[in-house]
Amino acid sequence: MAYDLELAERIRRALSGRAGVVEKKMFGGLSFLVGGNMAVGASGQGGMLLRADPARSDELCSNPGIERAVMQGRVMDGWLRVDDEAIATDEDLARWVQAGVDYASSLPPKKR
């Protein structure tokens, strides 16, 4: 499945005006990086992939439509799937995009 182009555009709009955001095809979708660290992405498996503080995984997954991502058969703390219903409104999307940006911004920048 290809990533959702409309979702990618919504994420792009949510990030507009923010300096240092780079788009990169990763994980079968389109990821948005801050300081070289992935924040969020339009997932090739549907919905949005969110990178968050692994210590907050339980808390964040208590929200409807949020669950840990499974990558290569492993359940991943800090890598969360956000289903379409959880980001149906622009306000909901902005909330989850900001969570990803906050975490990516807290990491040391990666050199290019």
Side-chain angles (χ1 to χ4, degrees):
M1 166 195 258
Y3 65 88
D4 182 336
L5 296 174
E6 182 179 328
L7 175 57
E9 183 56 33
R10 289 180 64 214
I11 294 170
R12 195 175 287 119
R13 282 194 308 266
L15 291 167
S16 69
R18 189 176 304 270
V21 175
V22 174
E23 296 180 26
K24 184 176 182 180
K25 290 187 178 183
M26 298 172 55
F27 306 120
L30 183 64
S31 296
F32 295 81
L33 291 76
V34 175
N37 296 295
M38 187 188 142
V40 295
S43 174
Q45 297 177 9
M48 187 171 79
L49 184 61
L50 165 69
R51 187 160 182 212
D53 182 348
R56 293 189 62 209
S57 293
D58 286 338
E59 169 198 346
L60 296 175
C61 287
S62 70
N63 291 280
I66 312 298
E67 63 185 19
R68 286 172 176 83
V70 177
M71 296 181 182
Q72 297 182 340
R74 293 181 39 213
V75 178
M76 305 294 290
D77 281 334
W79 294 89
L80 308 176
R81 293 218 167 272
V82 181
D83 72 22
D84 290 329
E85 290 77 29
I87 52 175
T89 69
D90 289 343
E91 181 179 280
D92 290 336
L93 177 71
R95 171 184 173 213
W96 293 112
V97 166
Q98 188 61 51
V101 167
D102 288 347
Y103 183 65
S105 297
S106 75
L107 299 171
K110 291 186 177 177
K111 296 182 183 192
R112 296 180 189 193

